C-alpha cells in the first residue's frame, strides 16, 4: 500500500493510452498529450509518453503532472513522424514514488524493443519478482509493472511474435492488469480475465487506425470514436493489417470490474461497460435517498465526485439541490503537505463553504467515501462554521473495512475508520448529525446498463482472486537504498 498519501481520500493506480495511425497523419505527440490530460484524474504523481518512429522506440517520463513533465520545450524535442505512441499517468499503490517507476517502461532485447503501460495490481508480483531475481534479473524500480516487462521479455525471446508472448505472460500473472504494449510494428492491448480495471477501444477518423484507453473520455480527447470495451481476458493487436482479437483467455473467470470505478475513479463523462459514470452516480444518490431519508432543506455534494450522487439524492427525495462548496481549482500538488498543521491549512485553501447555501439550514452532505475520517470531519466542520443548522452525512459507497489488492490505495485495516467502529460511532467521530452508507446490495446495481459483476472485496472481504499472503517484509516498501539494487533508469 502507498505510504506517502497524507490525504484522507482514495487514488486509483494509473491511466493507460495507446494510439496507432497507419497513415502517419496524426500528430502523435499532441494526441497522447491530450489523452493524458483527459486521464490526469487517474494519476498525478508521474507520467510519460513513448513514441515509435519507423520502428525506433523512445520515451520521456518523469515525476509530476502532465503539464509539468511535458513543457513546451520537452514537447518540441520529442521525435516527430511517429505512427504509434503510448502514454501513462501513475499514482502508486505498489512501488515507491520514484522516477524509475514512471511509465511507459521501455525495454530493449535482442528481438527489438517494447514499451509497457500497466494499470492495476498483481497479487503474485512479489513471488514472481523473487523468481526472476533468482534467475539473475536486476530490478531498477519497485513496481509490479517491471515484473510484467521482464516476463514479457523472457517469453518474447522464444515466442514467434509479441502477441504470443503476451498470452504466455497472462498465464503467469494474477490480479488486475489493463495493459497497452507497443513493439516496433504493433500496438497491443490486454485485459485481465476478471476485467478489474477498464480498458476500451476507439477508431480514428476515416478508419485510419485505432486507440486504446483506460476511459472513453481519452478517446474523445483525440477525436476517436468509441467502439467497445476490451473484453476481460482479451488481447487486441493493431498493426498494418488492421485490428484482430485473441480470446483464448476470455471466459476463464467471472467479470468483476472494480465498482469504485463508477463511484469515484472514472470521469463522469466516461462510458464503462455500457453505463456512463454520471448515470451510475445519479443512481447511487437515488438509492441513498431511498435507504436513508431525512427531513432537510438542501442537498449538497462534496466536490467533485459527490456532486452527481448529491443530484440523484435531491431528485429522489425532492429536497432542493444546492452548491455548498467552492473548490479552488488553482491549488496544485504543492499543498499535499506532510504536517498536520499544513494539511489543515490547505483544506481551507482548497475548499470553502458557501454560507448563503447552508446557513441556518438542515443540510444533506453527499460524499463518495470515508477512509480515515479526518477529511470528513474537517469538511463537516466547515459547514458548521458557515452556519449549517444540521449536517446529515450520506456516503455513496458501503463502509471500507478491508484492503484492496487490485490497484486502489485503501489503507491497512488499522487506518480505516469503519474497522472497529459502528456507524453511530463514526457519526460522532466525524461530527455529523446522522450518517448513512449505501448498502452492498445497491452498490452492485449502480451500473444500470451494464451486464457484468463487480469486485466489492474492500466492503465485504470476499475477493474474486485470492489475495496474496501477508509477507513479513514487503519488498516494494523497502527504501531503495536497502533493496538488492539501488540503480535508477
Amino acid at each position: 500500500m502507498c505510504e506517502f498519501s497524507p490525504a484522507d481520500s482514495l487514488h486509483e493506480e494509473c491511466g493507460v493510452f495507446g494510439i496507432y495511425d497507419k497513415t502517419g497523419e496524426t500528430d502523435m505527440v499532441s494526441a497522447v498529450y491530450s489523452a493524458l490530460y483527459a486521464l490526469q484524474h487517474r494519476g498525478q504523481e508521474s507520467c510519460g509518453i513513448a513514441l515509435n518512429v519507423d520502428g525506433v522506440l523512445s520515451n520521456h517520463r518523469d515525476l509530476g503532472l502532465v503539464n509539468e513533465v511535458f513543457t513546451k520545450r520537452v514537447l518540441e524535442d520529442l521525435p516527430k513522424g511517429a505512427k504509434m505512441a503510448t502514454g501513462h499517468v501513475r499514482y502508486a499503490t505498489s512501488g515507491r514514488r520514484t522516477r524509475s517507476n514512471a511509465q511507459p517502461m521501455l525495454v530493449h532485447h535482442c528481438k527489438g524493443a517494447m514499451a509497457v503501460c500497466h494499470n492495476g495490481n498483481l497479487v503474485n508480483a512479489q513471488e514472481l519478482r523473487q523468481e526472476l531475481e533468482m534467475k539473475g534479473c536486476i530490478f531498477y524500480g519497485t513496481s509490479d509493472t517491471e515484473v510484467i516487462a521482464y516476463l514479457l521479455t523472457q517469453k518474447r525471446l522464444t515466442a514467434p511474435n509479441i502477441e504470443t508472448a503476451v498470452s504466455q505472460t497472462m498465464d503467469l500473472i494474477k490480479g488486475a492488469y489493463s495493459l497497452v504494449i507497443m513493439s516496433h510494428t504493433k500496438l497491443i492491448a490486454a485485459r485481465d480475465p476478471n476485467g478489474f480495471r477498464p480498458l476500451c477501444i476507439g477508431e480514428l477518423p476515416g478508419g485510419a487506425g485505432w486507440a486504446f484507453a483506460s476511459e472513453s473520455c481519452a478517446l474523445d480527447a483525440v477525436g476517436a470514436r468509441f467502439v467497445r470495451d476490451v473484453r476481460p481476458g482479451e488481447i487486441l493487436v493493431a498493426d498494418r493489417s488492421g485490428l484482430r482479437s485473441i480470446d483464448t483467455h476470455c471466459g476463464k473467470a467471472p467479470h468483476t470490474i472494480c465498482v469504485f470505478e463508477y463511484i469515484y475513479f472514472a470521469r463522469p463523462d466516461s462510458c464503462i461497460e455500457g453505463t456512463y459514470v454520471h448515470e451510475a452516480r445519479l443512481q447511487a444518490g437515488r438509492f441513498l435517498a431511498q435507504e436513508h431519508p431525512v427531513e432537510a432543506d438542501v442537498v449538497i455534494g462534496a466536490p467533485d465526485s459527490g456532486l452527481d450522487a448529491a443530484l440523484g439524492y435531491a431528485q429522489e427525495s425532492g429536497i432542493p439541490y444546492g452548491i455548498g462548496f467552492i473548490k479552488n481549482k488553482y491549488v496544485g500538488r504543492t499543498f499535499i503537505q506532510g504536517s498536520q498543521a499544513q494539511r489543515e491549512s490547505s483544506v481551507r485553501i482548497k475548499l470553502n463553504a458557501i454560507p448563503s447555501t447552508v446557513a441556518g439550514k438542515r443540510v444533506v452532505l453527499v460524499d463518495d467515501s470515508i477512509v480515515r475520517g479526518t477529511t470528513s470531519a474537517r469538511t463537516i466542520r466547515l459547514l458548521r462554521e458557515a452556519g449549517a443548522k444540521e449536517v446529515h452525512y450520506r456516503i455513496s459507497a458501503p463502509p471500507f473495512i478491508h484492503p484492496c489488492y487490485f490497484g486502489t490505495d485503501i489503507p491497512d485495516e488499522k487506518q480505516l475508520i469503519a474497522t472497529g467502529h459502528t456507524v453511530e460511532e463514526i457519526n460522532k467521530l466525524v461530527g455529523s448529525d446522522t450518517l448513512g452508507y449505501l448498502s452492498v446490495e445497491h452498490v452492485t446495481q449502480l451500473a444500470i446498463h451494464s451486464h457484468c459483476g463487480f469486485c466489492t472485496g474492500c466492503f465485504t472481504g470476499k475477493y474474486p482472486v485470492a489475495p496474496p499472503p501477508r509477507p513479513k517484509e514487503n519488498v516494494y516498501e523497502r527504501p531503495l537504498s536497502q533493496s538488492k539494487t539501488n540503480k535508477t533508469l
Side-chain angles (χ1 to χ4, degrees), residues 320-333:
Y321 173 81
I323 303 298
F325 290 101
I326 289 296
K327 184 177 182 181
N328 190 333
K329 298 181 180 179
Y330 302 99
V331 177
R333 291 155 55 253

Side-chain angles (χ1 to χ4, degrees), residues 38-187:
L39 296 173
Q40 185 75 90
H41 60 286
R42 297 187 72 87
Q44 298 90 44
E45 290 187 350
S46 67
C47 59
I49 293 175
L51 298 163
N52 182 332
V53 180
D54 296 326
V56 178
L57 275 59
S58 62
N59 74 336
H60 180 82
R61 57 185 182 145
D62 210 339
L63 298 175
L65 300 172
V66 174
N67 67 319
E68 296 170 341
V69 172
F70 293 101
T71 61
K72 182 179 180 181
R73 172 173 288 185
V74 169
L75 291 171
E76 289 175 347
D77 289 344
L78 290 176
K80 304 299 186 293
K83 291 186 177 181
M84 270 188 283
T86 61
H88 190 273
V89 291
R90 181 176 191 262
Y91 182 91
T93 59
S94 70
R96 299 175 68 85
R97 187 177 183 269
T98 65
R99 183 181 178 277
S100 59
N101 287 331
Q103 299 180 43
M105 287 190 175
L106 188 57
V107 180
H108 295 273
H109 52 84
C110 64
K111 287 192 174 182
M114 60 182 171
V116 181
C117 299
H118 168 221
N119 171 29
N121 216 52
L122 303 184
V123 297
N124 64 336
Q126 185 167 326
E127 173 190 341
L128 292 170
R129 180 186 176 111
Q130 290 171 347
E131 292 177 2
L132 289 166
E133 286 178 335
M134 293 301 294
K135 294 178 181 179
C137 294
I138 298 174
F139 284 80
Y140 296 95
T142 56
S143 75
D144 51 4
T145 308
E146 197 170 3
V147 172
I148 295 174
Y150 267 121
L151 292 172
L152 283 169
T153 301
Q154 287 189 349
K155 297 301 180 183
R156 182 64 187 97
L157 296 179
T158 57
N161 49 53
I162 182 69
E163 55 266 39
T164 300
V166 172
S167 180
Q168 292 174 351
T169 299
M170 289 174 65
D171 290 331
L172 300 176
I173 56 179
K174 300 176 182 178
Y177 55 89
S178 286
L179 301 170
V180 173
I181 303 161
M182 180 172 65
S183 71
H184 65 291
T185 59
K186 299 171 183 176
L187 183 68

Side-chain angles (χ1 to χ4, degrees), residues 78 93 124 126 150 163-164 216 218 228 265 270 291 311 318 342 361 388 401 403 489:
L78 290 176
T93 59
N124 64 336
Q126 185 167 326
Y150 267 121
E163 55 266 39
T164 300
S216 60
R228 64 174 175 86
F265 295 138
S270 289
E291 291 187 39
L311 181 58
Q342 288 171 320
K361 296 179 181 178
I401 55 178
L489 289 177

